Amino acid sequence: MSDYGHDLVFGSFVTPSADNPDRAVGVAVLAEQVGLDLVTFQDHPYQPAFLDTWTLLSFVAARTSRVHLAANVTNLPLRPPAVLARSVASLDLLSGGRVSLGLGAGAFWDAIEAMGGRRLTPGQGVRALEEAIEVVRQLWDVETRGGVRVDGEFYRVVGAKRGPAPAHAVPIWLGAYKPRMLQLTGRRADGWLPTLGYLQPGDLTKGNAIIDDAAQQAGRSPQDVRRLLNIAGEFSTVGRASLNGPAEQWAEELAELALGEGVGTFILGSDDPDDLRRFAGEVAPAVRELVAAERDRGAAPERTPEPEPVVAPPVRASRATATGGAFAVVPTPDDGVRRSEQQVWDESARPTGPAPDPERTYTPQEQATGAHLVQIHDGLRAELAQIHDLIEQVAAGEIDAGAARSHINTMTMRQNRWTLGVYCESYCRIVTTHHTIEDQSLFPRLRARDARLGPVVDRLEQEHHVIHDVLEGVDRALVAYVGSPGGIAELRAAVDLLTDALLSHLSYEERELVEPLARLGIA
């Protein structure tokens, strides 16, 4: 078991596609909005279908405020290390200390050579990479007197002035697979960044052992080297294979990699907004909880302090509790606030279910389902509030961009529209999925176990159909908004109507169902 005790970090691996640059930037911005810690892009300067990675990183840094950024990994043969060091330090200063440096020795040598790079053998690539790390670190070391001097086989720097120093201690991560690269990682790097799809069973364990031995021989601790991993998979309702199943399966498998193989950073290769949302909102919190519970049982060493750690977004406390005794789950009250003048149903005609028995007590297990329902609804409420914030931000930005009439502001306006559109579209799918699960699974069980709940369940199903029509209205407003410069008012009105209907529906559902879920023992 090799848990190095690192804080867990979750990131995205975004395709830097040149045919739709707005989408590449929008996915990166969305990654920050859903709560991921890190955004990375592959770096293949010889690939004309991709945007230049360092230009893209700079642009994304200006569009974000919290998420950390890195190339995954930088193509060293086409990025001279002295210039690269200053590029990284500059972007780190401009972004407030949010940059990491992923480095690779190079691959696709025909393409590298076609771009003017030097073809290297595997052994030469490792030696060149070690020299490059020395150049980079010396240029960042502004405390040492005198110029940078590296008289290497591949890189020669003779008296270059040091600086600028980055805003924080920028970690250097190596994309490594072979023994010599792994040994270099242990001796000189701050992180190991392989891709799971390129590894054979047992390669993580073998790689860790090589890195650990090399680190110790260099007078370092194995915990000085963060273990990162690029992953890919598919979310599905039924587990079919590794990282192909529900979020719970993903969480268990990643927790095993964290505790058994020491992986502290998981980077998901996907441009799908729904994948990023589920990875950030469902998988990451569950992995952190599983790993923390195991570490609390004394199965892992104390956590190693990290320089400028990536901080996970705070977990919002829920009002839902599941304790024994009297029924303690508190339904969310309807505050009566309405944003729209339109009404989609008569709330006074809603039926009510049977009154609870005031003498009955409930176990924590019985109350857990109702508490979970409230927590799911709280997530939907929080996401809905985020959509309203995004609409106001985009509306304000479009006013500024429209006034400026510059090309850069026009690009920003398009990317804002794309990001908002994706967020709204993804949210609508989540609401529809939640209602489908209730219609097909939860409601039939409630109706079968207590016929007195029939009128309530019928009404809830009817409201699902109404909300579906409202969601269709949001979709139409999104299409109109993206296609015309003046559609923000219509989109705001559609989201306002959705807010009124959905919040009212969620409160009604909790009021009528949280106690029956416990009483009827529905899990």
Side-chain angles (χ1 to χ4, degrees), residues 440-483:
Q440 295 180 355
S441 178
L442 179 63
F443 291 170
R445 295 164 70 190
L446 286 166
R447 187 184 283 109
R449 296 193 185 187
D450 189 343
R452 296 174 299 171
L453 289 172
V456 170
V457 172
D458 290 342
R459 172 68 187 222
L460 289 171
E461 289 180 336
Q462 293 167 10
E463 292 191 1
H464 283 182
H465 291 295
V466 174
I467 291 172
H468 175 76
D469 292 339
V470 175
L471 291 170
E472 292 288 332
V474 172
D475 183 66
R476 290 191 296 271
L478 277 172
V479 172
Y481 168 65
V482 172

Coordinates of all heavy atoms in Angstrom, one line a residue, residues 440-483:
Q440 N -40.0 6.6 -12.7 CA -39.9 5.2 -13.1 C -39.6 4.3 -11.9 O -39.9 3.1 -11.9 CB -38.8 5.0 -14.1 CG -39.1 5.6 -15.5 CD -38.0 5.4 -16.5 OE1 -36.9 4.9 -16.2 NE2 -38.2 5.9 -17.7
S441 N -39.0 4.9 -10.8 CA -38.6 4.1 -9.7 C -39.2 4.5 -8.4 O -39.9 3.6 -7.7 CB -37.1 4.1 -9.5 OG -36.6 3.4 -8.4
L442 N -39.1 5.7 -8.0 CA -39.5 6.1 -6.7 C -41.0 6.2 -6.5 O -41.6 5.6 -5.6 CB -38.9 7.5 -6.3 CG -39.3 8.1 -5.0 CD1 -38.8 7.2 -3.8 CD2 -38.7 9.5 -4.8
F443 N -41.7 6.9 -7.5 CA -43.1 7.1 -7.3 C -43.9 5.8 -7.4 O -44.9 5.6 -6.6 CB -43.6 8.1 -8.4 CG -43.1 9.5 -8.2 CD1 -43.3 10.4 -9.2 CD2 -42.5 9.9 -7.0 CE1 -42.9 11.7 -9.0 CE2 -42.1 11.2 -6.9 CZ -42.3 12.1 -7.9
P444 N -43.6 4.8 -8.3 CA -44.4 3.6 -8.2 C -44.3 2.9 -6.9 O -45.3 2.2 -6.4 CB -43.8 2.8 -9.4 CG -43.2 3.8 -10.3 CD -42.7 4.9 -9.4
R445 N -43.1 2.9 -6.3 CA -43.0 2.2 -5.0 C -43.8 2.9 -3.9 O -44.4 2.3 -3.0 CB -41.5 2.2 -4.6 CG -40.7 1.4 -5.6 CD -39.2 1.6 -5.4 NE -38.6 1.2 -4.2 CZ -37.4 1.4 -3.7 NH1 -36.6 2.2 -4.5 NH2 -37.0 0.9 -2.6
L446 N -43.8 4.3 -3.9 CA -44.6 5.0 -2.9 C -46.1 4.7 -3.1 O -46.8 4.4 -2.1 CB -44.4 6.5 -3.1 CG -43.1 7.0 -2.6 CD1 -42.8 8.4 -3.1 CD2 -43.0 7.0 -1.0
R447 N -46.6 4.7 -4.4 CA -48.0 4.4 -4.6 C -48.3 3.0 -4.2 O -49.4 2.7 -3.7 CB -48.2 4.6 -6.1 CG -49.7 4.5 -6.5 CD -49.9 4.7 -8.0 NE -49.8 6.1 -8.5 CZ -48.8 6.5 -9.2 NH1 -47.8 5.7 -9.5 NH2 -48.8 7.8 -9.6
A448 N -47.4 2.0 -4.4 CA -47.7 0.6 -4.1 C -47.8 0.4 -2.6 O -48.5 -0.4 -2.1 CB -46.7 -0.3 -4.8
R449 N -47.0 1.1 -1.9 CA -46.8 0.8 -0.4 C -47.9 1.6 0.4 O -48.1 1.2 1.6 CB -45.4 1.1 0.1 CG -44.4 0.2 -0.6 CD -43.1 0.3 0.1 NE -42.1 -0.5 -0.6 CZ -40.8 -0.7 -0.1 NH1 -40.5 -0.2 1.1 NH2 -40.0 -1.4 -0.8
D450 N -48.4 2.7 -0.1 CA -49.4 3.5 0.6 C -50.3 4.1 -0.4 O -50.0 5.2 -1.0 CB -48.7 4.5 1.5 CG -49.8 5.1 2.5 OD1 -51.0 5.0 2.2 OD2 -49.3 5.8 3.4
A451 N -51.5 3.5 -0.6 CA -52.4 4.0 -1.6 C -52.9 5.5 -1.3 O -53.3 6.2 -2.3 CB -53.6 3.1 -1.7
R452 N -52.8 5.9 -0.1 CA -53.2 7.2 0.3 C -52.3 8.3 -0.3 O -52.7 9.5 -0.4 CB -53.2 7.4 1.8 CG -54.2 6.5 2.5 CD -54.1 6.6 4.0 NE -52.7 6.2 4.5 CZ -52.3 6.3 5.7 NH1 -53.0 7.0 6.6 NH2 -51.1 5.9 6.0
L453 N -51.1 7.9 -0.8 CA -50.2 8.8 -1.4 C -50.5 9.0 -2.9 O -49.8 9.8 -3.6 CB -48.7 8.4 -1.2 CG -48.2 8.5 0.2 CD1 -46.8 7.8 0.2 CD2 -48.0 9.9 0.6
G454 N -51.4 8.2 -3.4 CA -51.7 8.2 -4.9 C -52.0 9.6 -5.4 O -51.4 10.0 -6.4
P455 N -52.8 10.4 -4.8 CA -53.1 11.8 -5.4 C -51.9 12.7 -5.4 O -51.6 13.4 -6.3 CB -54.2 12.3 -4.4 CG -54.9 11.1 -3.9 CD -53.8 10.1 -3.7
V456 N -51.0 12.5 -4.3 CA -49.8 13.4 -4.3 C -48.8 12.9 -5.4 O -48.3 13.8 -6.1 CB -49.1 13.2 -2.9 CG1 -47.7 13.9 -2.9 CG2 -50.0 13.8 -1.8
V457 N -48.7 11.6 -5.5 CA -47.7 11.1 -6.6 C -48.3 11.5 -7.9 O -47.5 11.9 -8.8 CB -47.6 9.6 -6.4 CG1 -46.8 9.1 -7.6 CG2 -46.8 9.3 -5.1
D458 N -49.6 11.4 -8.2 CA -50.1 11.8 -9.5 C -49.8 13.3 -9.7 O -49.5 13.6 -10.9 CB -51.7 11.6 -9.5 CG -52.0 10.1 -9.5 OD1 -51.1 9.3 -9.8 OD2 -53.2 9.7 -9.1
R459 N -50.0 14.1 -8.7 CA -49.8 15.5 -8.9 C -48.3 15.8 -9.2 O -48.0 16.6 -10.1 CB -50.2 16.3 -7.7 CG -49.8 17.8 -7.7 CD -50.6 18.6 -8.7 NE -50.1 19.9 -8.8 CZ -50.9 21.0 -8.9 NH1 -52.3 20.8 -8.9 NH2 -50.4 22.2 -9.0
L460 N -47.4 15.1 -8.5 CA -46.0 15.3 -8.7 C -45.6 14.9 -10.2 O -44.8 15.6 -10.8 CB -45.2 14.5 -7.7 CG -45.2 15.1 -6.3 CD1 -44.5 14.1 -5.3 CD2 -44.5 16.4 -6.2
E461 N -46.2 13.8 -10.6 CA -45.9 13.4 -12.0 C -46.4 14.4 -13.0 O -45.8 14.7 -14.0 CB -46.5 12.0 -12.3 CG -45.8 10.9 -11.6 CD -46.4 9.5 -11.9 OE1 -47.7 9.5 -12.2 OE2 -45.8 8.5 -11.7
Q462 N -47.6 15.0 -12.8 CA -48.2 16.0 -13.6 C -47.2 17.2 -13.7 O -47.0 17.8 -14.7 CB -49.6 16.4 -13.2 CG -50.6 15.3 -13.3 CD -51.9 15.6 -12.6 OE1 -52.1 16.7 -12.1 NE2 -52.8 14.6 -12.5
E463 N -46.7 17.6 -12.5 CA -45.8 18.7 -12.5 C -44.5 18.5 -13.2 O -43.9 19.4 -13.8 CB -45.6 19.1 -11.0 CG -46.8 19.7 -10.3 CD -46.5 20.3 -9.0 OE1 -45.4 20.4 -8.6 OE2 -47.5 20.8 -8.3
H464 N -44.1 17.2 -13.2 CA -42.9 16.9 -14.0 C -43.1 17.2 -15.5 O -42.2 17.7 -16.2 CB -42.6 15.4 -13.8 CG -41.9 15.1 -12.5 ND1 -41.5 13.8 -12.2 CD2 -41.5 15.9 -11.4 CE1 -40.9 13.8 -11.0 NE2 -41.0 15.1 -10.5
H465 N -44.3 16.8 -16.0 CA -44.6 17.1 -17.4 C -44.6 18.6 -17.6 O -44.2 19.1 -18.7 CB -46.0 16.5 -17.7 CG -46.0 15.0 -17.8 ND1 -45.2 14.3 -18.7 CD2 -46.6 14.1 -17.0 CE1 -45.4 13.0 -18.5 NE2 -46.2 12.8 -17.5
V466 N -45.2 19.4 -16.7 CA -45.2 20.8 -16.9 C -43.8 21.4 -16.9 O -43.4 22.2 -17.7 CB -46.1 21.5 -15.8 CG1 -46.0 23.0 -15.8 CG2 -47.5 21.0 -15.9
I467 N -43.0 20.9 -15.9 CA -41.6 21.4 -15.9 C -40.8 21.0 -17.1 O -40.0 21.8 -17.6 CB -40.9 20.8 -14.6 CG1 -41.5 21.5 -13.4 CG2 -39.4 21.1 -14.7 CD1 -41.0 20.9 -12.1
H468 N -41.2 19.8 -17.7 CA -40.5 19.5 -19.0 C -40.8 20.5 -20.1 O -39.9 20.9 -20.8 CB -41.0 18.1 -19.4 CG -40.5 17.7 -20.8 ND1 -39.2 17.2 -21.0 CD2 -41.1 17.6 -22.0 CE1 -39.1 16.9 -22.3 NE2 -40.2 17.2 -22.9
D469 N -42.1 21.0 -20.1 CA -42.4 22.0 -21.1 C -41.7 23.3 -20.8 O -41.3 24.0 -21.8 CB -44.0 22.2 -21.1 CG -44.8 21.0 -21.6 OD1 -44.2 20.2 -22.3 OD2 -46.0 20.9 -21.2
V470 N -41.5 23.6 -19.5 CA -40.8 24.8 -19.2 C -39.3 24.7 -19.6 O -38.7 25.6 -20.1 CB -40.9 25.1 -17.7 CG1 -40.0 26.3 -17.3 CG2 -42.3 25.4 -17.3
L471 N -38.7 23.5 -19.4 CA -37.4 23.2 -19.9 C -37.2 23.4 -21.4 O -36.2 23.9 -21.9 CB -36.9 21.8 -19.4 CG -36.7 21.6 -17.9 CD1 -36.5 20.2 -17.6 CD2 -35.5 22.4 -17.4
E472 N -38.3 22.9 -22.1 CA -38.3 23.1 -23.5 C -38.2 24.6 -23.9 O -37.6 25.0 -24.9 CB -39.5 22.4 -24.2 CG -39.5 20.9 -24.1 CD -38.5 20.3 -25.0 OE1 -38.2 20.9 -26.1 OE2 -38.0 19.2 -24.7
G473 N -38.9 25.4 -23.1 CA -38.9 26.8 -23.3 C -37.5 27.4 -23.1 O -37.1 28.3 -23.8
V474 N -36.8 26.9 -22.1 CA -35.4 27.4 -21.8 C -34.6 27.0 -23.0 O -33.7 27.8 -23.5 CB -34.9 26.7 -20.5 CG1 -33.4 27.0 -20.4 CG2 -35.7 27.3 -19.3
D475 N -34.8 25.8 -23.6 CA -34.0 25.3 -24.7 C -34.2 26.2 -25.9 O -33.3 26.6 -26.6 CB -34.3 23.9 -25.0 CG -33.5 23.3 -26.2 OD1 -32.3 23.2 -26.0 OD2 -34.0 23.0 -27.2
R476 N -35.5 26.6 -26.2 CA -35.8 27.5 -27.3 C -35.1 28.8 -27.1 O -34.6 29.4 -28.0 CB -37.3 27.6 -27.5 CG -37.9 26.3 -28.0 CD -39.4 26.6 -28.4 NE -40.2 27.0 -27.3 CZ -40.9 26.2 -26.5 NH1 -40.8 24.9 -26.7 NH2 -41.6 26.6 -25.5
A477 N -35.2 29.3 -25.9 CA -34.6 30.6 -25.6 C -33.1 30.6 -25.7 O -32.4 31.5 -26.2 CB -34.9 31.1 -24.1
L478 N -32.4 29.4 -25.4 CA -31.0 29.3 -25.6 C -30.6 29.3 -27.1 O -29.7 30.0 -27.5 CB -30.5 28.0 -25.0 CG -30.2 27.9 -23.5 CD1 -30.0 26.5 -23.0 CD2 -29.1 28.8 -23.1
V479 N -31.4 28.6 -27.9 CA -31.2 28.6 -29.3 C -31.3 30.0 -29.9 O -30.4 30.5 -30.7 CB -32.1 27.7 -30.0 CG1 -32.0 27.8 -31.6 CG2 -31.9 26.2 -29.6
A480 N -32.3 30.8 -29.5 CA -32.5 32.1 -29.9 C -31.4 33.0 -29.4 O -30.9 33.9 -30.1 CB -33.9 32.6 -29.5
Y481 N -31.0 32.8 -28.2 CA -29.9 33.6 -27.6 C -28.6 33.5 -28.3 O -27.9 34.5 -28.7 CB -29.8 33.3 -26.1 CG -28.5 33.9 -25.5 CD1 -28.4 35.2 -25.3 CD2 -27.5 33.0 -25.0 CE1 -27.3 35.8 -24.7 CE2 -26.4 33.5 -24.4 CZ -26.3 34.9 -24.2 OH -25.2 35.4 -23.7
V482 N -28.2 32.2 -28.6 CA -27.0 32.0 -29.3 C -27.0 32.6 -30.7 O -26.0 33.0 -31.2 CB -26.6 30.5 -29.3 CG1 -25.4 30.2 -30.2 CG2 -26.4 30.0 -27.9
G483 N -28.2 32.5 -31.3 CA -28.3 32.9 -32.7 C -28.5 34.4 -33.0 O -28.4 34.9 -34.1

